[in-house]
Coordinates of all heavy atoms in Angstrom, one line a residue:
D1 N 24.2 -14.6 4.8 CA 23.7 -15.5 5.8 C 22.3 -16.0 5.4 O 21.4 -15.2 5.2 CB 23.7 -14.8 7.2 CG 23.0 -15.7 8.2 OD1 23.4 -16.8 8.4 OD2 22.2 -15.2 9.0
I2 N 22.1 -17.3 5.3 CA 20.9 -17.9 4.8 C 19.7 -17.5 5.7 O 18.6 -17.1 5.2 CB 21.0 -19.4 4.7 CG1 21.9 -19.7 3.5 CG2 19.6 -20.1 4.5 CD1 22.2 -21.2 3.3
R3 N 19.9 -17.6 7.0 CA 18.8 -17.2 7.9 C 18.3 -15.8 7.7 O 17.1 -15.5 7.7 CB 19.2 -17.5 9.3 CG 18.2 -17.3 10.3 CD 18.7 -17.4 11.8 NE 17.7 -17.3 12.7 CZ 17.1 -18.4 13.3 NH1 17.5 -19.6 13.1 NH2 16.1 -18.2 14.2
A4 N 19.2 -14.9 7.6 CA 18.9 -13.4 7.5 C 18.2 -13.2 6.1 O 17.2 -12.5 6.1 CB 20.1 -12.6 7.6
R5 N 18.6 -13.8 5.1 CA 18.0 -13.7 3.8 C 16.6 -14.3 3.8 O 15.6 -13.7 3.3 CB 18.8 -14.4 2.7 CG 20.1 -13.6 2.4 CD 21.0 -14.4 1.5 NE 20.4 -14.7 0.2 CZ 21.0 -15.6 -0.7 NH1 22.0 -16.2 -0.4 NH2 20.4 -15.8 -1.8
L6 N 16.5 -15.5 4.5 CA 15.1 -16.1 4.6 C 14.2 -15.2 5.4 O 13.0 -15.1 5.0 CB 15.3 -17.5 5.2 CG 14.0 -18.4 5.2 CD1 13.5 -18.6 3.8 CD2 14.3 -19.7 5.9
N7 N 14.7 -14.7 6.4 CA 13.9 -13.8 7.3 C 13.4 -12.6 6.5 O 12.2 -12.2 6.6 CB 14.7 -13.3 8.5 CG 13.8 -12.8 9.6 OD1 13.2 -13.6 10.3 ND2 13.6 -11.5 9.7
R8 N 14.2 -12.0 5.6 CA 13.8 -10.9 4.8 C 12.7 -11.3 3.8 O 11.8 -10.6 3.6 CB 15.0 -10.4 4.0 CG 15.2 -8.9 4.1 CD 16.4 -8.4 3.3 NE 17.2 -9.2 2.5 CZ 18.4 -9.8 2.9 NH1 18.9 -9.5 4.1 NH2 19.1 -10.5 2.1
V9 N 12.8 -12.6 3.3 CA 11.8 -13.1 2.4 C 10.4 -13.1 3.1 O 9.4 -12.7 2.6 CB 12.1 -14.5 1.8 CG1 10.9 -15.1 1.1 CG2 13.3 -14.4 0.9
F10 N 10.5 -13.7 4.3 CA 9.2 -13.7 5.2 C 8.7 -12.3 5.4 O 7.5 -12.1 5.3 CB 9.5 -14.4 6.5 CG 9.3 -15.9 6.4 CD1 10.3 -16.7 5.7 CD2 8.2 -16.6 7.0 CE1 10.1 -18.1 5.7 CE2 8.1 -17.9 6.9 CZ 9.0 -18.7 6.2
Q11 N 9.5 -11.4 5.8 CA 9.1 -10.0 6.1 C 8.5 -9.4 4.8 O 7.4 -8.8 4.9 CB 10.3 -9.2 6.5 CG 10.7 -9.5 7.9 CD 12.0 -8.8 8.3 OE1 12.7 -8.3 7.5 NE2 12.3 -8.7 9.6
E12 N 9.1 -9.6 3.7 CA 8.6 -9.0 2.4 C 7.2 -9.7 2.0 O 6.3 -9.0 1.7 CB 9.6 -9.2 1.3 CG 10.8 -8.3 1.4 CD 11.9 -8.7 0.5 OE1 11.7 -9.6 -0.4 OE2 13.0 -8.1 0.6
Q13 N 7.1 -11.0 2.1 CA 5.9 -11.7 1.7 C 4.8 -11.4 2.6 O 3.6 -11.4 2.2 CB 6.2 -13.2 1.5 CG 7.2 -13.5 0.4 CD 7.0 -12.8 -0.9 OE1 5.9 -12.8 -1.4 NE2 8.0 -12.1 -1.4
F14 N 5.0 -11.3 3.9 CA 3.9 -11.1 4.8 C 3.8 -9.6 5.1 O 2.9 -9.1 5.8 CB 4.2 -11.8 6.2 CG 4.0 -13.3 6.1 CD1 5.1 -14.1 6.1 CD2 2.8 -13.8 5.9 CE1 5.0 -15.5 6.0 CE2 2.6 -15.2 5.8 CZ 3.7 -16.0 5.9
D15 N 4.6 -8.7 4.4 CA 4.5 -7.3 4.5 C 4.5 -6.8 5.9 O 3.7 -6.1 6.4 CB 3.3 -6.8 3.7 CG 3.4 -5.3 3.5 OD1 4.5 -4.7 3.4 OD2 2.3 -4.6 3.4
D16 N 5.5 -7.4 6.7 CA 5.6 -7.1 8.1 C 7.1 -7.2 8.5 O 7.6 -8.3 8.6 CB 4.7 -8.1 8.9 CG 4.7 -7.8 10.4 OD1 5.5 -6.9 10.9 OD2 4.0 -8.5 11.1
E17 N 7.6 -6.0 8.8 CA 9.1 -6.0 9.2 C 9.3 -6.6 10.6 O 10.4 -6.9 11.0 CB 9.6 -4.6 9.2 CG 9.7 -4.0 7.8 CD 10.2 -2.5 7.8 OE1 10.6 -2.0 8.9 OE2 10.2 -1.9 6.7
K18 N 8.2 -6.8 11.4 CA 8.4 -7.4 12.7 C 8.5 -8.9 12.7 O 8.8 -9.5 13.7 CB 7.2 -7.0 13.6 CG 7.1 -5.5 13.8 CD 6.0 -5.2 14.7 CE 5.8 -3.7 14.8 NZ 4.5 -3.2 14.5
V19 N 8.3 -9.6 11.6 CA 8.4 -11.0 11.5 C 9.8 -11.4 11.7 O 10.7 -10.9 11.1 CB 7.9 -11.5 10.1 CG1 8.2 -13.0 9.9 CG2 6.4 -11.3 9.9
E20 N 10.0 -12.3 12.7 CA 11.3 -12.9 13.0 C 11.1 -14.4 12.9 O 10.4 -15.0 13.8 CB 11.7 -12.5 14.4 CG 12.4 -11.1 14.5 CD 13.7 -11.0 13.7 OE1 14.5 -12.0 13.6 OE2 13.9 -9.9 13.1
I21 N 11.8 -15.1 12.0 CA 11.7 -16.5 11.9 C 12.4 -17.2 13.0 O 13.4 -16.6 13.6 CB 12.2 -17.0 10.5 CG1 13.7 -16.7 10.3 CG2 11.3 -16.5 9.4 CD1 14.3 -17.4 9.1
S22 N 12.0 -18.4 13.3 CA 12.7 -19.2 14.3 C 12.8 -20.6 13.8 O 12.0 -21.0 12.9 CB 12.0 -19.1 15.7 OG 10.8 -19.8 15.6
E23 N 13.6 -21.4 14.4 CA 13.8 -22.8 13.9 C 12.5 -23.6 13.9 O 12.2 -24.4 13.0 CB 14.8 -23.5 14.8 CG 16.2 -22.9 14.8 CD 17.0 -23.2 13.6 OE1 17.0 -24.4 13.1 OE2 17.7 -22.3 13.1
N24 N 11.7 -23.4 15.0 CA 10.5 -24.2 15.2 C 9.2 -23.5 14.6 O 8.1 -24.1 14.7 CB 10.2 -24.4 16.7 CG 11.4 -25.2 17.3 OD1 11.9 -26.1 16.7 ND2 11.8 -24.8 18.5
M25 N 9.4 -22.4 13.9 CA 8.2 -21.7 13.3 C 7.5 -22.6 12.2 O 8.2 -23.2 11.4 CB 8.7 -20.4 12.7 CG 7.5 -19.6 12.1 SD 8.2 -18.0 11.3 CE 8.0 -17.0 12.8
T26 N 6.2 -22.5 12.3 CA 5.4 -23.2 11.2 C 4.3 -22.3 10.8 O 4.1 -21.2 11.4 CB 4.8 -24.5 11.8 OG1 3.8 -24.2 12.8 CG2 5.8 -25.5 12.3
A27 N 3.5 -22.7 9.9 CA 2.4 -21.9 9.4 C 1.4 -21.5 10.5 O 0.7 -20.5 10.4 CB 1.6 -22.7 8.3
V28 N 1.3 -22.3 11.6 CA 0.5 -22.1 12.7 C 0.8 -20.7 13.4 O 0.0 -20.1 14.0 CB 0.5 -23.2 13.7 CG1 -0.3 -22.9 14.9 CG2 0.0 -24.5 13.0
D29 N 2.1 -20.4 13.3 CA 2.6 -19.2 14.0 C 2.3 -17.9 13.4 O 2.5 -16.8 14.0 CB 4.1 -19.3 14.2 CG 4.5 -20.6 15.0 OD1 3.9 -20.7 16.1 OD2 5.3 -21.3 14.6
I30 N 1.9 -17.9 12.1 CA 1.6 -16.6 11.4 C 0.2 -16.8 10.8 O -0.1 -17.6 9.9 CB 2.6 -16.3 10.3 CG1 4.0 -16.2 10.8 CG2 2.2 -15.0 9.5 CD1 5.1 -15.9 9.8
E31 N -0.7 -15.9 11.3 CA -2.1 -16.0 10.9 C -2.3 -16.0 9.4 O -3.1 -16.7 8.9 CB -2.9 -14.8 11.5 CG -4.4 -15.0 11.4 CD -5.1 -13.8 12.1 OE1 -4.6 -13.3 13.1 OE2 -6.2 -13.5 11.7
E32 N -1.6 -15.2 8.7 CA -1.8 -15.0 7.2 C -1.1 -16.2 6.4 O -1.3 -16.2 5.2 CB -1.2 -13.7 6.7 CG -1.8 -12.5 7.3 CD -1.2 -12.1 8.6 OE1 -0.2 -12.6 9.0 OE2 -1.9 -11.3 9.3
W33 N -0.4 -17.1 7.1 CA 0.3 -18.2 6.4 C -0.7 -19.3 6.1 O -0.9 -20.3 6.8 CB 1.4 -18.7 7.2 CG 2.4 -19.6 6.5 CD1 2.2 -20.2 5.3 CD2 3.7 -20.0 7.0 NE1 3.3 -21.0 5.0 CE2 4.2 -20.9 6.0 CE3 4.4 -19.7 8.1 CZ2 5.5 -21.4 6.2 CZ3 5.6 -20.3 8.3 CH2 6.2 -21.1 7.3
D34 N -1.4 -19.2 4.9 CA -2.3 -20.2 4.5 C -1.7 -21.0 3.3 O -0.6 -20.8 3.0 CB -3.7 -19.6 4.1 CG -3.6 -18.6 3.1 OD1 -2.5 -18.4 2.4 OD2 -4.6 -17.8 2.9
S35 N -2.5 -21.8 2.7 CA -2.0 -22.7 1.6 C -1.5 -21.8 0.4 O -0.5 -22.1 -0.2 CB -3.0 -23.7 1.1 OG -4.2 -23.1 0.7
L36 N -2.2 -20.7 0.1 CA -1.8 -19.9 -1.0 C -0.5 -19.1 -0.7 O 0.4 -19.1 -1.5 CB -2.9 -18.9 -1.4 CG -2.5 -17.9 -2.5 CD1 -2.2 -18.6 -3.8 CD2 -3.7 -16.9 -2.7
M37 N -0.4 -18.6 0.6 CA 0.8 -17.9 1.0 C 2.0 -18.9 1.0 O 3.1 -18.5 0.8 CB 0.6 -17.3 2.4 CG 1.8 -16.5 2.9 SD 2.5 -15.3 1.7 CE 1.5 -13.9 2.2
H38 N 1.7 -20.1 1.3 CA 2.8 -21.2 1.3 C 3.4 -21.2 -0.1 O 4.6 -21.2 -0.2 CB 2.2 -22.5 1.7 CG 3.2 -23.5 2.1 ND1 4.0 -23.5 3.2 CD2 3.7 -24.6 1.4 CE1 4.8 -24.5 3.2 NE2 4.7 -25.2 2.1
I39 N 2.6 -21.3 -1.1 CA 3.1 -21.3 -2.5 C 3.9 -20.0 -2.8 O 5.0 -20.1 -3.4 CB 1.9 -21.5 -3.5 CG1 1.3 -22.9 -3.2 CG2 2.4 -21.4 -4.9 CD1 0.0 -23.1 -3.9
V40 N 3.3 -18.9 -2.4 CA 4.0 -17.6 -2.6 C 5.3 -17.6 -2.0 O 6.3 -17.1 -2.5 CB 3.1 -16.4 -2.1 CG1 3.8 -15.1 -2.1 CG2 1.8 -16.3 -3.0
L41 N 5.4 -18.1 -0.7 CA 6.7 -18.1 0.0 C 7.7 -19.0 -0.7 O 8.8 -18.6 -0.8 CB 6.4 -18.7 1.4 CG 6.2 -17.7 2.5 CD1 5.8 -18.5 3.8 CD2 7.3 -16.8 2.8
V42 N 7.3 -20.2 -1.1 CA 8.2 -21.1 -1.8 C 8.7 -20.5 -3.1 O 10.0 -20.5 -3.3 CB 7.5 -22.5 -2.1 CG1 8.4 -23.3 -3.0 CG2 7.2 -23.2 -0.8
V43 N 7.9 -19.8 -3.8 CA 8.3 -19.2 -5.1 C 9.3 -18.1 -4.7 O 10.4 -17.9 -5.4 CB 7.1 -18.6 -5.9 CG1 7.6 -17.8 -7.0 CG2 6.3 -19.8 -6.4
A44 N 9.0 -17.3 -3.7 CA 9.9 -16.2 -3.3 C 11.3 -16.7 -2.8 O 12.3 -16.1 -3.1 CB 9.2 -15.3 -2.2
I45 N 11.2 -17.8 -2.1 CA 12.4 -18.5 -1.6 C 13.3 -19.0 -2.8 O 14.5 -18.8 -2.8 CB 12.1 -19.6 -0.6 CG1 11.6 -19.0 0.7 CG2 13.4 -20.4 -0.3 CD1 10.9 -20.0 1.6
E46 N 12.6 -19.6 -3.7 CA 13.3 -20.1 -4.9 C 14.0 -18.9 -5.6 O 15.2 -19.1 -6.1 CB 12.4 -20.8 -5.9 CG 11.9 -22.1 -5.4 CD 10.9 -22.8 -6.3 OE1 10.2 -22.1 -7.0 OE2 10.9 -24.0 -6.4
K47 N 13.3 -17.8 -5.7 CA 13.9 -16.7 -6.4 C 15.1 -16.1 -5.7 O 16.1 -15.8 -6.2 CB 12.8 -15.6 -6.6 CG 13.0 -14.6 -7.7 CD 11.9 -13.6 -7.7 CE 10.9 -13.9 -8.8 NZ 9.9 -12.8 -9.0
E48 N 14.9 -15.9 -4.4 CA 16.0 -15.3 -3.5 C 17.2 -16.2 -3.5 O 18.3 -15.6 -3.6 CB 15.4 -15.1 -2.1 CG 16.5 -14.8 -1.1 CD 17.1 -13.4 -1.3 OE1 16.4 -12.5 -1.8 OE2 18.3 -13.2 -0.8
F49 N 17.0 -17.5 -3.4 CA 18.2 -18.4 -3.3 C 18.6 -19.0 -4.6 O 19.5 -19.8 -4.7 CB 17.9 -19.4 -2.2 CG 17.9 -18.9 -0.9 CD1 16.7 -18.5 -0.3 CD2 19.0 -18.7 -0.1 CE1 16.6 -17.9 1.0 CE2 19.0 -18.1 1.1 CZ 17.7 -17.7 1.7
N50 N 17.9 -18.7 -5.7 CA 18.2 -19.2 -7.0 C 18.2 -20.8 -7.0 O 19.2 -21.4 -7.4 CB 19.5 -18.6 -7.6 CG 19.6 -18.9 -9.1 OD1 18.6 -19.0 -9.8 ND2 20.8 -18.9 -9.6
V51 N 17.2 -21.4 -6.4 CA 17.1 -22.8 -6.3 C 15.7 -23.2 -6.8 O 14.8 -22.4 -7.0 CB 17.3 -23.4 -4.9 CG1 18.7 -23.1 -4.4 CG2 16.2 -22.8 -3.9
R52 N 15.6 -24.5 -7.2 CA 14.3 -25.1 -7.6 C 14.0 -26.1 -6.5 O 14.7 -27.1 -6.3 CB 14.5 -25.7 -8.9 CG 13.3 -26.1 -9.6 CD 12.6 -24.9 -10.3 NE 11.3 -25.3 -10.7 CZ 10.2 -24.7 -10.2 NH1 10.3 -23.8 -9.3 NH2 9.0 -25.2 -10.6
L53 N 12.9 -25.9 -5.8 CA 12.4 -26.8 -4.8 C 11.2 -27.7 -5.3 O 10.3 -27.1 -5.9 CB 12.0 -26.1 -3.5 CG 13.0 -25.1 -2.9 CD1 12.4 -24.3 -1.8 CD2 14.2 -25.9 -2.4
N54 N 11.3 -29.0 -5.2 CA 10.2 -29.7 -5.7 C 9.1 -29.9 -4.6 O 9.5 -29.9 -3.4 CB 10.6 -31.1 -6.3 CG 11.2 -32.0 -5.4 OD1 10.7 -32.3 -4.3 ND2 12.4 -32.6 -5.8
A55 N 7.9 -30.2 -5.0 CA 6.8 -30.3 -4.0 C 7.0 -31.3 -2.9 O 6.6 -31.1 -1.8 CB 5.5 -30.5 -4.8
S56 N 7.6 -32.5 -3.3 CA 7.8 -33.5 -2.3 C 8.8 -33.1 -1.2 O 8.5 -33.4 0.0 CB 8.2 -34.8 -3.0 OG 9.5 -34.7 -3.5
E57 N 9.9 -32.5 -1.6 CA 10.8 -32.0 -0.5 C 10.2 -30.9 0.3 O 10.4 -30.9 1.6 CB 12.2 -31.7 -1.1 CG 12.3 -30.5 -2.0 CD 13.7 -30.4 -2.6 OE1 14.6 -31.1 -2.2 OE2 13.8 -29.6 -3.6
V58 N 9.5 -30.0 -0.3 CA 8.9 -28.9 0.5 C 7.8 -29.5 1.4 O 7.6 -29.1 2.6 CB 8.3 -27.9 -0.4 CG1 7.4 -26.9 0.3 CG2 9.4 -27.1 -1.2
G59 N 7.1 -30.5 0.9 CA 6.0 -31.1 1.7 C 6.5 -31.9 2.9 O 5.8 -32.0 3.9
K60 N 7.8 -32.3 2.9 CA 8.4 -33.0 4.0 C 8.9 -32.1 5.1 O 9.1 -32.5 6.2 CB 9.5 -33.9 3.6 CG 9.1 -35.1 2.7 CD 10.3 -35.8 2.2 CE 9.9 -36.9 1.2 NZ 11.1 -37.4 0.5
L61 N 9.0 -30.8 4.8 CA 9.5 -29.9 5.8 C 8.5 -29.6 6.9 O 7.4 -29.4 6.6 CB 9.9 -28.5 5.1 CG 10.9 -28.6 4.0 CD1 11.1 -27.2 3.4 CD2 12.2 -29.1 4.5
E62 N 9.0 -29.7 8.1 CA 8.1 -29.6 9.3 C 8.1 -28.2 9.9 O 7.2 -27.8 10.6 CB 8.4 -30.7 10.3 CG 8.0 -32.0 9.8 CD 8.1 -33.1 10.9 OE1 8.1 -32.7 12.1 OE2 8.1 -34.3 10.5
N63 N 9.2 -27.4 9.6 CA 9.3 -26.1 10.2 C 10.4 -25.3 9.4 O 11.0 -25.8 8.5 CB 9.7 -26.2 11.7 CG 10.9 -27.0 12.0 OD1 11.9 -27.0 11.2 ND2 10.9 -27.8 13.0
V64 N 10.5 -24.1 9.8 CA 11.5 -23.2 9.2 C 12.9 -23.6 9.3 O 13.7 -23.5 8.4 CB 11.3 -21.7 9.7 CG1 12.4 -20.8 9.2 CG2 9.9 -21.2 9.3
G65 N 13.2 -24.2 10.4 CA 14.6 -24.8 10.6 C 14.9 -25.8 9.6 O 16.1 -25.8 9.1
E66 N 14.0 -26.6 9.2 CA 14.3 -27.6 8.2 C 14.4 -27.0 6.8 O 15.2 -27.4 6.0 CB 13.2 -28.7 8.1 CG 13.2 -29.6 9.4 CD 12.2 -30.7 9.3 OE1 11.6 -31.0 8.3 OE2 12.1 -31.4 10.4
M67 N 13.7 -25.9 6.6 CA 13.9 -25.1 5.3 C 15.3 -24.5 5.3 O 16.0 -24.6 4.3 CB 12.9 -24.0 5.2 CG 13.1 -23.1 4.0 SD 13.1 -23.9 2.4 CE 11.3 -23.9 2.1
I68 N 15.8 -24.0 6.4 CA 17.1 -23.4 6.5 C 18.2 -24.5 6.2 O 19.1 -24.3 5.4 CB 17.4 -22.8 7.9 CG1 16.5 -21.6 8.1 CG2 18.9 -22.5 8.0 CD1 16.5 -21.0 9.5
K69 N 18.0 -25.7 6.8 CA 18.9 -26.8 6.5 C 18.9 -27.2 5.0 O 20.0 -27.5 4.4 CB 18.5 -28.1 7.3 CG 18.9 -27.9 8.8 CD 18.6 -29.2 9.5 CE 18.7 -28.9 11.0 NZ 17.6 -29.6 11.8
L70 N 17.7 -27.3 4.4 CA 17.6 -27.6 3.0 C 18.4 -26.6 2.1 O 19.1 -26.9 1.2 CB 16.2 -27.7 2.6 CG 15.9 -27.9 1.1 CD1 16.4 -29.3 0.7 CD2 14.4 -27.9 0.8
L71 N 18.2 -25.3 2.5 CA 18.9 -24.2 1.7 C 20.4 -24.3 1.9 O 21.1 -24.1 1.0 CB 18.3 -22.9 2.1 CG 16.8 -22.6 1.7 CD1 16.3 -21.4 2.3 CD2 16.7 -22.6 0.2
E72 N 20.8 -24.6 3.1 CA 22.3 -24.8 3.4 C 22.8 -25.9 2.5 O 23.9 -25.8 2.0 CB 22.5 -25.0 4.8 CG 22.3 -23.8 5.7 CD 22.4 -24.0 7.2 OE1 22.3 -25.2 7.6 OE2 22.5 -23.0 7.9
E73 N 22.1 -27.0 2.4 CA 22.6 -28.2 1.6 C 22.7 -27.8 0.2 O 23.6 -28.1 -0.5 CB 21.6 -29.3 1.8 CG 21.7 -30.0 3.1 CD 20.6 -31.0 3.4 OE1 19.9 -31.4 2.4 OE2 20.4 -31.4 4.5
R74 N 21.7 -27.0 -0.3 CA 21.7 -26.6 -1.7 C 22.8 -25.6 -2.0 O 23.2 -25.5 -3.2 CB 20.3 -26.0 -2.1 CG 19.2 -27.0 -2.1 CD 19.4 -28.0 -3.3 NE 18.3 -28.8 -3.4 CZ 17.2 -28.5 -4.1 NH1 17.0 -27.4 -4.7 NH2 16.2 -29.4 -4.2
A75 N 23.2 -24.9 -1.0 CA 24.2 -23.8 -1.2 C 25.6 -24.4 -1.4 O 26.5 -23.8 -1.9 CB 24.2 -22.9 -0.1
K76 N 25.8 -25.7 -1.0 CA 27.1 -26.4 -1.1 C 27.5 -26.8 -2.5 O 26.7 -27.0 -3.3 CB 27.1 -27.6 -0.2 CG 27.0 -27.2 1.3 CD 27.0 -28.4 2.2 CE 26.8 -28.0 3.6 NZ 26.6 -29.1 4.5

């Protein structure tokens, strides 16, 4: 399940098992989610899902829900 795998990536990268992603979640919702952590997250997501995300498509994402949709499209 993409959502569960993505949630695990967030938990691992933020080193917090209590992190629960939601469709509307953005960087504002996690204090440690700054620009550097954003890059770290994208790299970890690419590794977990074996995809290559380009900066323009990542830049257009407004929340975690849109990332889930993008990963679902890539999985097809």
Side-chain angles (χ1 to χ4, degrees):
D1 176 50
I2 288 176
R3 186 187 182 99
R5 287 170 64 195
L6 187 59
N7 200 79
R8 231 181 1 262
V9 170
F10 272 72
Q11 289 173 341
E12 289 168 6
Q13 297 311 310
F14 288 108
D15 195 25
D16 184 353
E17 292 180 6
K18 294 183 188 124
V19 171
E20 279 297 323
I21 62 171
S22 68
E23 300 282 321
N24 298 320
M25 180 182 270
T26 67
V28 175
D29 299 310
I30 300 178
E31 190 177 330
E32 297 84 13
W33 191 348
D34 57 14
S35 56
L36 178 60
M37 181 52 89
H38 193 74
I39 295 166
V40 170
L41 267 174
V42 170
V43 170
I45 291 166
E46 287 179 331
K47 200 182 260 186
E48 170 67 26
F49 291 94
N50 197 28
V51 293
R52 193 81 191 113
L53 304 172
N54 67 50
S56 66
E57 64 188 349
V58 171
K60 291 177 188 168
L61 301 176
E62 293 189 13
N63 55 39
V64 171
E66 290 186 9
M67 173 61 83
I68 292 169
K69 284 183 194 142
L70 176 62
L71 292 170
E72 287 171 345
E73 289 169 13
R74 290 293 185 84
K76 291 177 183 172

